[in-house]
Amino acid sequence: MKKLLIAVLLLCLTSCATITNSRTYPLRVSTNAKNASVKVYDSVYKLPTEVKVTRSNKPLQVTLTYDTIARDYTVKSKIMSKTSLDNIIFFGFYPEALLVDILTKKGYYYGDELFLNIYDTLPEAKRIISSRKKHTAYEENSFNINISIPYANIFLLQPESEGIKKGAGFFGLTLGAEYFYKKNKYVKLNAGGIVSFPIPFPVPLINDGEVETLVSLYSTLTDNYQLNRFSLGYGLSYSFYRYDHDFGDDNYNQKDKSVKGHGIGLSFNTYYRVGKRFNIGFVYNPTFISIYPQTELLYQHTISFDLLWRIQI
């Protein structure tokens, strides 16, 4: 559990944009001038075009050429609003995550499209931030890598000789891979862990009192349907459960407990895509057969509110 908590703490000090944004991105450039070209960095492009630009906190200088006229435009950089929103939602440490975006420059951009208006008296390009809600189309035989944080988790466990243990808490980490065998269907292999961390902010805790902790490490294999922004999945799961009971310093005569168990069951998930890569959803992993410490029919489950990135490769 300590290793899992350390991993979560490190990830929460990492920025949303640092993980998902590349150092460069495509910028569309257009104009109302006829037979025009644009110079960006040291290259010249015929308009309209798409230019690969490097993220930076410095203004981007472009030169529009048409007829015999050359006009210089300045494009101011800004912090991505979606990046800021993702940092607020995805991590408790928004100021620290935003600082990572600023230092790495991956949180900056110049908009999705630039329009160079020859009738504008100001030498500043009009930055267009696309508001079109496009559905990401996945091609047949394509792959995705998943990174997710099960932000809030619910547990129902039955550790041996302990009865039913219910609990809820925060944080975890999962990694997965998806293969689209059709444009709207894919198989997903996922592995990760969740924990009942008591508060929604990953900070060190010192607790001398009695504490119960629930942990689940699991792997799942699911078949999934992609329905525009929604995805639905079902399949099999293998889960490792652990129940820890720390009696604290005040009960020094009590010996701490750690009870482990393994189970086989099903897995269900549903997600809604918010941005190009970011998804929010729920994962339900019920197990019905315990195979350790003994083989028996035994119902246990975990439910997670999941924040997930899907990265095409």
Side-chain angles (χ1 to χ4, degrees):
M1 185 182 71
K2 291 182 179 179
K3 292 182 179 180
L4 177 61
L5 288 176
I6 291 172
V8 172
L9 289 171
L10 291 175
L11 185 59
C12 288
L13 290 174
T14 305
S15 159
C16 168
T18 301
I19 295 176
T20 61
N21 286 345
S22 61
R23 195 70 177 86
T24 61
Y25 77 97
L27 174 65
R28 295 185 297 276
V29 185
S30 60
T31 184
N32 52 358
K34 295 183 179 179
N35 301 319
S37 62
V38 66
K39 181 179 180 181
V40 183
Y41 303 130
D42 294 324
S43 300
V44 177
Y45 307 87
K46 185 176 178 59
L47 293 179
T49 189
E50 192 173 85
V51 181
K52 182 175 288 188
V53 295
T54 302
R55 300 181 190 274
S56 173
N57 59 340
K58 298 179 180 180
L60 177 68
Q61 305 295 332
V62 300
T63 300
L64 174 68
T65 302
Y66 61 99
D67 295 334
T68 58
I69 301 172
R71 296 187 63 183
D72 294 325
Y73 292 82
T74 300
V75 188
K76 293 182 179 179
S77 178
K78 67 169 289 184
I79 291 287
M80 294 179 66
S81 57
K82 183 175 75 66
T83 296
S84 302
L85 176 62
D86 287 352
N87 279 331
I88 292 173
I89 295 174
F90 212 79
F91 303 104
F93 288 150
Y94 167 64
E96 291 82 350
L98 183 57
L99 178 61
V100 174
D101 282 350
I102 294 173
L103 293 177
T104 62
K105 309 294 178 63
K106 288 188 177 182
Y108 288 99
Y109 84 144
Y110 301 104
D112 300 313
E113 182 176 351
L114 298 181
F115 181 73
L116 307 179
N117 188 354
I118 61 175
Y119 302 113
D120 195 343
T121 57
L122 297 177
E124 184 172 329
K126 182 179 180 181
R127 179 174 52 211
I128 301 174
I129 300 174
S130 177
S131 60
R132 292 173 294 177
K133 303 297 182 181
K134 294 183 178 180
H135 301 307
T136 299
Y138 296 103
E139 296 296 329
E140 189 173 328
N141 297 321
S142 65
F143 288 89
N144 288 334
I145 295 297
N146 291 344
I147 303 172
S148 79
I149 297 281
Y151 187 77
N153 309 299
I154 298 174
F155 296 80
L156 189 154
L157 306 184
Q158 298 193 58
E160 188 178 33
S161 303
E162 296 294 330
I164 296 177
K165 296 295 179 180
K166 298 180 180 180
F170 299 93
F171 294 115
L173 177 66
T174 71
L175 300 173
E178 300 172 345
Y179 169 67
F180 276 79
Y181 58 94
K182 292 184 179 180
K183 286 188 176 181
N184 65 335
K185 296 186 70 176
Y186 61 95
V187 291
K188 177 179 176 180
L189 179 63
N190 206 52
I194 57 177
V195 63
S196 59
F197 195 69
I199 60 175
F201 302 101
V203 296
L205 294 179
I206 298 175
N207 194 331
D208 295 330
E210 193 170 350
V211 177
E212 290 185 326
T213 304
L214 303 173
V215 178
S216 175
L217 304 177
Y218 57 84
S219 59
T220 63
L221 179 63
T222 57
D223 190 26
N224 306 265
Y225 294 85
Q226 186 71 42
L227 307 171
N228 294 327
R229 289 186 177 272
F230 287 94
S231 64
L232 302 169
Y234 62 92
L236 302 175
S237 68
Y238 181 90
S239 298
F240 164 85
Y241 300 114
R242 194 173 78 198
Y243 164 72
D244 293 328
H245 192 157
D246 186 348
F247 287 94
D249 296 339
D250 295 336
N251 297 300
Y252 58 86
N253 58 328
Q254 294 281 352
K255 186 177 181 181
D256 294 343
K257 296 180 180 179
S258 182
V259 183
K260 302 176 182 179
H262 298 190
I264 298 175
L266 302 177
S267 180
F268 303 92
N269 69 76
T270 180
Y271 289 96
Y272 177 77
R273 183 173 61 83
V274 178
K276 183 178 180 181
R277 300 183 179 97
F278 183 61
N279 300 257
I280 58 175
F282 291 90
V283 178
Y284 170 47
N285 290 334
T287 58
F288 304 98
I289 302 175
S290 172
I291 59 174
Y292 178 86
Q294 58 183 342
T295 302
E296 60 179 330
L297 293 176
L298 186 69
Y299 175 77
Q300 303 178 91
H301 76 239
T302 62
I303 302 173
S304 297
F305 171 62
D306 203 33
L307 306 172
L308 176 143
W309 279 304
R310 301 170 75 178
I311 305 171
Q312 286 186 281
I313 57 174

